[in-house]
Amino acid sequence: MDRRRYLSVSSALIAGALAGCTAPATSHADISASAPSMPARQPDVDDDTLDELVTGTNTFALDLFDELRTADAAENLMVSPISATVALAMTYAGAGGTTREQMREALGYTLDDEQLHAAFNELQRTLSGRGETLDEEDLPSEYDDGDDPVPFQLSLVNAIWGQEGVPFRDEFLTTLENHYGGGLNQVDFVENPDGVRKAINAWIADQTDDRIEELLPAGSVTPRTVLVLTNAIHFTANWRHPFDEAQTEPAAFTALDGSTSTVRMMSQDVKVPAATVDGAQAVELPYVGGTTGMLVVVPPAGEFEAYERTFDVERLGRIVDALEPQRGYVNLPRFEFDSECKLEKPLETLGMTDAFDPNAAEFSGMADPSETGGNLFVDQVYHDAYVAVDEQGTDAAAATGSVMNFVSLPPTILDANRPFLFVIRDRPTGTVLFTGRVVDASAAQE
């Protein structure tokens, strides 16, 4: 695998196909997006408000993951719910009526609109600021920053792509600029839909270091497209306690279908937060800086599918609350895979139905239908994710850690030799950044 690894996720919304679009047509040979920027307004959000937002987004995170894993029960899977909910929050800013209420329910929004967008503003600033004040003492002792990538990076950025000539409401654009960053990129879907699609894909690729190269497939953008709202999250980090590559050895992994294969299994003796809850082993492997970590949960043997069905925000909370520092061996396979999915059906199952119905959608908060010649609705929602984990973390640039020798043999506190779940979360806020599962480690090492 490539030694420069990144965990990168992006999601996009094609928020509308206008009937009878009357925008002027101008062909663009070269299309580029404005540089990503932080939201224009500095929010005033207290801890209770931010906690309420995170509780709702985490509930949506695991609800969405449950819908997606049901569709692909035998596949490895990863999704970034924070990326999806930020893109959808920008769409929600222009929603009204029943469409708005369905979105609030499906996405777990409980704050009033002003507080909601301000809280997303604060959360984006908080998450994107992780690593800016990284203490060198938190780096592995062998880390050499000569030609290596930075040991920790987390960024969330947004971009808005709208048909030129369409009179989008000032209130809508102002909300997006103030709380989500990035101004409106005026493009011409009518005359140059594929050129715009390629420009959007190029922006996503640039924000994710080419890990997500084609979020929008051919044909996804048409002359009837009016607005595309995109979010990209880029995360790369070294483990606080790197695994020693010399201790990575072949080991058996039992896949979900019961077949056994030989995989490269990392192993280390380490003191990390760990717990056994409801029969499942759980450890949280921190990244440098300690503000983020990967929670790995190995359900009881033979019970993965039943356990996964009940892996909700309450169960996640019980696991996190039970974590206590323990010393022992952690065995975790190296893995690398990507997930591509469309979110319309999962979102409809969660209750967000009107947004996708051209006759029922209410997005007049984006633009006045009487002035645009048609009704806006959400056409498609694309979501791509990529993950690679090895001895150094989710960015394999740092040197391997030194081997610690002890007189006595510590116990094994995690043995991921069968299907497991993983959650990458921001520890201070509790925000779920990514959630996934590995049910076939052999397929994730090809």
Side-chain angles (χ1 to χ4, degrees):
M1 289 188 290
D2 184 0
R3 297 299 300 169
R4 287 177 59 91
R5 298 215 186 100
Y6 295 90
L7 180 88
S8 304
V9 178
S10 55
S11 88
L13 281 147
I14 299 181
L18 276 182
C21 177
T22 58
T26 304
S27 179
H28 295 278
D30 183 27
I31 306 168
S32 60
S34 57
S37 62
M38 290 302 294
R41 178 179 295 177
Q42 181 70 47
D44 182 15
V45 176
D46 59 33
D47 290 344
D48 289 342
T49 300
L50 191 60
D51 287 346
E52 185 173 343
L53 176 72
V54 169
T55 297
T57 57
N58 285 354
T59 299
F60 168 69
L62 296 182
D63 286 348
L64 178 63
F65 183 75
D66 185 55
E67 293 297 328
L68 290 170
R69 64 96 189 163
T70 302
D72 294 299
E75 300 294 329
N76 298 324
L77 172 67
M78 191 184 74
V79 64
S80 174
I82 189 64
S83 176
T85 194
V86 168
L88 289 163
M90 292 192 291
T91 309
Y92 170 80
T98 304
T99 301
R100 174 183 176 277
E101 294 307 314
Q102 289 179 352
M103 292 185 73
R104 285 182 63 84
E105 181 70 21
L107 300 173
Y109 298 161
T110 57
L111 299 169
D112 65 45
D113 290 358
E114 183 176 350
Q115 287 181 310
L116 179 75
H117 297 303
F120 269 119
N121 182 345
E122 178 65 24
L123 184 60
Q124 179 172 299
R125 289 173 180 272
T126 299
L127 296 177
S128 294
R130 299 291 188 228
E132 290 182 356
T133 58
L134 187 65
D135 192 329
E136 291 186 3
E137 294 183 358
D138 287 322
L139 298 178
S141 58
E142 291 81 5
Y143 180 77
D144 177 9
D145 63 357
D147 296 321
D148 292 331
V150 293
F152 184 96
Q153 182 179 355
L154 173 59
S155 64
L156 288 106
V157 291
N158 304 301
I160 309 156
W161 314 77
Q163 173 64 41
E164 59 184 23
V166 170
F168 295 106
R169 294 191 188 277
D170 289 341
E171 297 89 341
F172 172 66
L173 297 179
T174 298
T175 295
L176 299 191
E177 181 179 1
N178 283 343
H179 296 301
Y180 297 94
L184 175 67
N185 295 286
Q186 296 192 41
V187 294
D188 192 351
F189 295 112
V190 175
E191 289 293 318
N192 192 18
D194 202 53
V196 178
R197 180 186 70 87
K198 291 177 180 178
I200 295 173
N201 284 340
W203 182 85
I204 291 290
D206 185 59
Q207 301 308 313
T208 61
D209 201 43
D210 294 327
R211 295 309 179 193
I212 308 296
E213 294 185 334
E214 191 174 22
L215 176 69
L216 302 179
S220 59
V221 176
T222 74
R224 293 174 61 83
T225 300
V226 173
L227 184 67
V228 175
L229 303 169
T230 53
N231 169 271
I233 179 170
H234 181 200
F235 174 71
T236 172
N238 287 30
W239 301 122
R240 173 179 275 182
H241 310 291
F243 290 80
D244 183 358
E245 289 190 46
Q247 295 195 24
T248 297
E249 297 181 349
F253 184 94
T254 302
L256 190 61
D257 63 6
S259 63
T260 300
S261 59
T262 300
V263 302
R264 287 168 290 175
M265 186 72 72
M266 306 183 298
S267 181
Q268 69 169 316
D269 174 9
V270 66
K271 187 175 183 179
V272 291
T276 298
V277 181
D278 300 329
Q281 293 178 316
V283 302
E284 185 161 55
L285 302 175
Y287 296 103
V288 293
T291 56
T292 59
M294 175 184 283
L295 179 68
V296 183
V297 181
V298 182
E303 299 180 20
F304 179 83
E305 291 171 297
Y307 185 94
E308 187 183 38
R309 285 195 295 270
T310 61
F311 190 67
D312 56 14
V313 70
E314 287 78 18
R315 172 161 269 181
L316 174 62
R318 291 200 304 272
I319 294 173
V320 170
D321 290 343
L323 294 173
E324 292 184 353
Q326 296 183 36
R327 178 182 150 232
Y329 275 105
V330 171
N331 301 320
L332 181 70
R334 296 173 64 169
F335 60 92
E336 178 181 21
F337 64 89
D338 53 35
S339 293
E340 299 179 1
C341 51
K342 295 181 68 179
L343 302 185
E344 302 97 295
K345 288 185 178 179
L347 290 170
E348 286 180 329
T349 302
L350 293 175
M352 188 178 141
T353 57
D354 284 9
F356 300 100
D357 185 342
N359 298 314
E362 171 55 80
F363 287 109
S364 60
M366 294 181 179
D368 186 343
S370 67
E371 296 183 8
T372 59
N375 189 45
L376 279 168
F377 66 98
V378 179
D379 187 14
Q380 300 175 77
V381 184
Y382 293 92
H383 187 81
D384 287 6
Y386 168 85
V387 59
V389 170
D390 73 356
E391 290 83 355
Q392 306 308 317
T394 51
D395 180 340
T400 51
S402 60
V403 177
M404 300 177 65
N405 297 317
F406 293 92
V407 175
S408 60
L409 184 66
T412 298
I413 56 176
L414 183 85
D415 195 2
N417 62 358
R418 57 183 185 269
F420 60 89
L421 300 163
F422 64 91
V423 174
I424 297 178
R425 67 188 192 97
D426 180 67
R427 299 169 83 182
T429 65
T431 304
V432 172
L433 304 175
F434 309 95
T435 183
R437 64 175 180 175
V438 175
V439 296
D440 186 350
S442 179
Q445 292 189 355
E446 294 177 350

